[in-house]
């Protein structure tokens, strides 16, 4: 007992996060392998159960079997719980139980929570977790209520309530699982403004991050937003608007997508497909029917992803903003990077560069390997690899046809994408202390 406690104390926060998520995936895999979890009454094979559990815990939404028709109610509830735990983070859920049982939150726990929430300090971390739990439950409850009322017109109330709760949880946590069967997601509701707006609100709410939510709630009193919130909100709004315009232009005459819709359907479809690559995974248009230009543009949106401290993945909007700001500053011959009249320290810029390059290297490597193991077009494979890294869940139809090795590789990519490449790197090779010396400055020609 003492040995295990000492081992736990020796682990760094990134290592505990990796082990924690790994443990949740293992439990989920075992539960989904039970005959009671599916409608066939036969045990699900290990690889498909592992893939589904990883996809749910990493709030991705890529599926090898249809969630709505293959899994029983028990299996679907297991998936929903994995999504909730994975979206909020297992340490957040552990903190909830500790608060309910009135247990003290240790310094080690606070350090892990700081790492999980991408915070720069431990100050107010437990208060933030309380707010995270409150905001999540309130937003999911409102979403579930509205979706239930809408779907009560299409199905019995009990089923509508079940669907409302399941999809509110999966959409707020930016997972792409749905219960409508035949891998069709929300394509049957492309014209429905209520379903579109509620789902988009849930996706954006889960994707902007809990720090921004707290800032927005406090805005009435403070009358100011932090630099982080300003960057997240402005970049999120810009990406959604630009994405909608680009998709609208590229798909306007495409009979497989927007071409057959009226003006209302075109606008709703364009905005929904712009919001969903922010790591959500739901879709109201057939992704395989999109033009290649639109598909590649969605790959870019998926790579950028959501915001820090959120339920989403990707390199994050703040990282992307910092990289753009650095390029603009360099082109203008400026020595400092300034956003909203705040100067950014060099350490943050280097971290953003590191995250972007590690993510790019991961996606390229996975796409290259899958190109040799899977029989599909390169764009389809790149789409799949980026969707897995960004924990998005959108697919061009490749997922159910992946080889055994392909499923394993995509599972690893989803895991790496949920934790973040930098956290994973720190976990595998713990960060060393500060060096006590400096090397002489060297000069190298660039460009």
């Amino acid at each position: 007992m003492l040995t295990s406690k000492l081992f736990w104390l020796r682990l760094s926060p990134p290592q505990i996060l990796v082990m924690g998520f790994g443990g949740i995936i293992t439990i989920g895999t075992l539960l989904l392998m039970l005959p009671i979890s599916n409608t066939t009454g036969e045990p699900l094979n290990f690889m498909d159960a592992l893939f589904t559990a990883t996809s749910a815990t990493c709030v991705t939404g890529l599926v090898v079997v249809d969630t709505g028709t293959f899994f029983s109610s028990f299996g679907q509830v297991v998936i929903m719980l994995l999504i909730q735990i994975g979206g909020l983070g297992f340490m957040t859920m552990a903190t909830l139980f500790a608060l309910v049982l009135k247990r003290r939150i240790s310094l080690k726990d606070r350090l892990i929570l700081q790492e999980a929430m991408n915070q720069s300090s431990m100050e107010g971390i437990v208060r933030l977790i309380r707010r995270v739990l409150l905001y999540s439950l309130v937003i999911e409850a409102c979403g579930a209520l509205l979706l239930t009322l809408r779907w009560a017109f299409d199905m019995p109330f009990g089923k509508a309530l079940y669907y409302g709760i399941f999809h509110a949880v999966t959409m707020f946590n930016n997972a792409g699982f749905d219960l409508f069967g035949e891998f069709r997601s929300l394509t049957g509701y492309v014209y429905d403004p209520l379903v579109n707006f509620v789902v988009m609100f849930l996706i954006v709410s889960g994707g902007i991050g809990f720090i921004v939510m707290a800032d927005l709630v406090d805005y009435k009193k403070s009358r100011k937003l932090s630099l982080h919130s300003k960057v997240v909100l402005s970049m999120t709004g810009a990406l959604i608007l630009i994405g909608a315009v680009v998709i609208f232009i590229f798909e306007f005459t495409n009979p497989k997508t927007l071409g057959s819709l009226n003006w209302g359907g075109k606008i709703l479809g364009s905005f929904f497909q712009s919001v969903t690559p922010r790591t959500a995974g739901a879709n109201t248009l057939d992704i395989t029917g999109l033009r290649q230009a639109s598909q590649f543009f969605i790959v870019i949106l998926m790579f950028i992803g959501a915001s820090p401290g959120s339920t989403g993945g990707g390199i994050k909007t703040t990282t992307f903003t910092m990289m753009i700001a650095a390029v603009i500053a360099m082109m203008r011959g400026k020595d400092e990077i300034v956003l909203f009249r705040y100067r950014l320290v060099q350490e943050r810029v280097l971290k953003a560069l590191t995250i972007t390059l590690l993510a790019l290297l991961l996606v390229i490597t996975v796409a290259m390997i899958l190109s040799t193991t899977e029989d599909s077009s390169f764009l389809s494979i790149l789409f799949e690899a980026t969707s897995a890294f960004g924990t998005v869940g959108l697919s061009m139809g490749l997922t159910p046809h992946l080889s055994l090795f392909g499923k394993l590789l995509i599972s690893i990519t989803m895991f790496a994408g949920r934790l973040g490449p930098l956290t994973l790197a720190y976990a595998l090779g713990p960060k060393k202390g500060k060096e006590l010396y400096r090397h002489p400055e060297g000069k190298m020609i660039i460009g």
Side-chain angles (χ1 to χ4, degrees):
M1 185 74 179
L2 182 62
T3 308
S4 62
K5 191 173 182 180
L6 288 171
F7 172 74
W8 181 262
L9 289 171
R10 279 199 300 267
L11 292 175
S12 66
Q15 288 173 330
I16 292 173
L17 285 177
V18 170
M19 290 180 65
F21 272 100
I24 298 297
I25 290 170
T26 303
I27 295 169
T29 302
L30 295 174
L31 288 173
L32 291 177
M33 286 178 70
L34 296 173
I36 194 177
S37 292
N38 64 72
T39 54
T40 66
E42 299 290 331
L44 181 63
N45 70 74
F46 174 76
M47 193 64 246
D48 285 352
L50 175 66
F51 188 98
T52 306
T54 305
S55 183
T57 307
C58 298
V59 289
T60 306
L62 290 173
V63 290
V64 287
V65 292
D66 187 68
T67 311
T69 55
F70 181 83
F71 288 105
S72 64
S73 297
F74 177 83
Q76 291 167 2
V77 170
V78 168
I79 289 171
M80 183 173 67
L81 291 174
L82 289 175
I83 291 169
Q84 186 73 82
I85 295 169
L88 298 182
F90 81 96
M91 275 307 297
T92 304
M93 301 304 292
T95 306
L96 170 63
F97 288 114
L99 292 172
V100 169
L101 298 172
K102 296 184 178 179
R103 280 186 56 234
R104 180 175 163 273
I105 310 298
S106 68
L107 178 63
K108 182 78 172 181
D109 293 336
R110 291 169 194 266
L111 284 168
I112 301 166
L113 287 169
Q114 178 191 337
E115 178 71 26
M117 299 302 293
N118 286 319
Q119 293 293 286
S120 55
S121 73
M122 288 187 295
E123 186 182 355
I125 192 69
V126 176
R127 185 170 65 252
L128 176 62
I129 295 302
R130 283 197 186 101
R131 300 181 83 171
V132 164
L133 293 166
L134 177 63
Y135 299 158
S136 302
L137 292 175
V138 169
I139 293 172
E140 286 176 354
C142 292
L145 176 62
L146 291 171
L147 291 175
T148 299
L149 293 174
R150 167 61 188 87
W151 286 331
F153 290 98
D154 300 340
M155 57 188 77
F157 183 79
K159 186 178 180 181
L161 178 62
Y162 177 60
Y163 271 46
I165 294 170
F166 184 93
H167 291 92
V169 170
T170 190
M171 296 310 164
F172 176 76
N173 287 289
N174 280 214
F177 288 86
D178 72 273
L179 300 178
F180 291 101
E182 300 176 4
F183 303 100
R184 58 191 172 124
S185 191
L186 298 174
T187 51
Y189 295 94
V190 65
Y191 283 113
D192 195 307
L194 180 61
V195 172
N196 275 261
F197 284 123
V198 169
V199 171
M200 283 192 286
F201 175 75
L202 288 169
I203 293 169
V204 174
S205 298
I208 59 175
F210 300 109
I211 304 125
V212 179
M213 276 191 214
D215 254 12
L216 290 173
V217 171
D218 292 339
Y219 182 75
K220 201 170 183 180
K221 293 179 182 177
S222 63
R223 289 293 172 186
K224 64 178 181 179
L225 294 173
S226 65
L227 172 63
H228 173 81
S229 296
K230 288 178 181 177
V231 169
V232 167
L233 292 172
S234 57
M235 182 52 70
T236 298
L239 287 173
I240 290 173
L241 184 60
I242 292 169
V245 171
V246 170
I247 291 170
F248 184 84
I249 292 170
F250 285 163
E251 299 299 318
F252 187 81
T253 57
N254 185 355
K256 295 179 182 178
T257 54
L258 296 183
S260 59
L261 306 180
N262 61 27
W263 275 92
K266 290 179 195 291
I267 293 170
L268 279 177
S270 299
F271 271 98
F272 195 95
Q273 264 53 234
S274 176
V275 169
T276 196
R278 317 306 307 290
T279 86
N283 56 285
T284 56
L285 299 178
D286 180 14
I287 299 299
T288 58
L290 294 170
R291 290 189 169 122
Q292 287 190 351
S294 301
Q295 291 169 344
F296 187 73
F297 181 72
I298 287 174
V299 167
I300 297 170
L301 292 179
M302 291 192 297
F303 185 75
I304 297 169
S307 302
S310 72
T311 58
I315 62 170
K316 306 293 190 292
T317 52
T318 47
T319 304
F320 180 68
T321 304
M322 209 170 287
M323 297 296 293
I324 295 295
V327 170
I328 293 172
M330 181 63 70
M331 290 174 67
R332 290 181 174 178
K334 303 285 186 182
D335 293 329
E336 295 181 340
I337 300 169
V338 178
L339 286 172
F340 295 100
R341 298 182 181 178
Y342 285 93
R343 174 177 55 85
L344 303 179
V345 295
Q346 188 182 22
E347 182 190 355
R348 293 285 173 182
V349 181
L350 290 175
K351 186 175 181 180
L353 178 63
T354 304
I355 290 170
T356 304
L357 288 179
L358 284 175
L360 197 59
L361 182 64
L362 175 64
V363 170
I364 290 172
T365 303
V366 171
M368 286 175 65
I369 295 172
L370 288 177
S371 295
T372 62
T373 63
E374 311 304 316
D375 183 21
S376 189
S377 67
F378 182 73
L379 181 57
S380 176
I381 289 169
L382 179 64
F383 196 99
E384 198 84 7
T386 311
S387 181
F389 163 73
T391 68
V392 181
L394 291 175
S395 176
M396 290 171 60
L398 176 61
T399 313
H401 307 293
L402 286 170
S403 65
L404 189 66
F405 178 79
K407 290 176 185 177
L408 180 61
L409 187 58
I410 289 295
S411 296
I412 294 169
T413 308
M414 289 188 288
F415 187 72
R418 178 65 184 98
L419 287 165
L422 204 55
T423 299
L424 208 56
Y426 284 158
L428 297 175
K431 193 166 58 171
K432 296 177 181 177
K434 229 176 195 180
E435 292 183 343
L436 302 176
Y437 59 90
R438 294 181 72 184
H439 292 282
E441 185 179 338
K443 293 186 178 179
M444 189 171 63
I445 298 171
I446 302 292

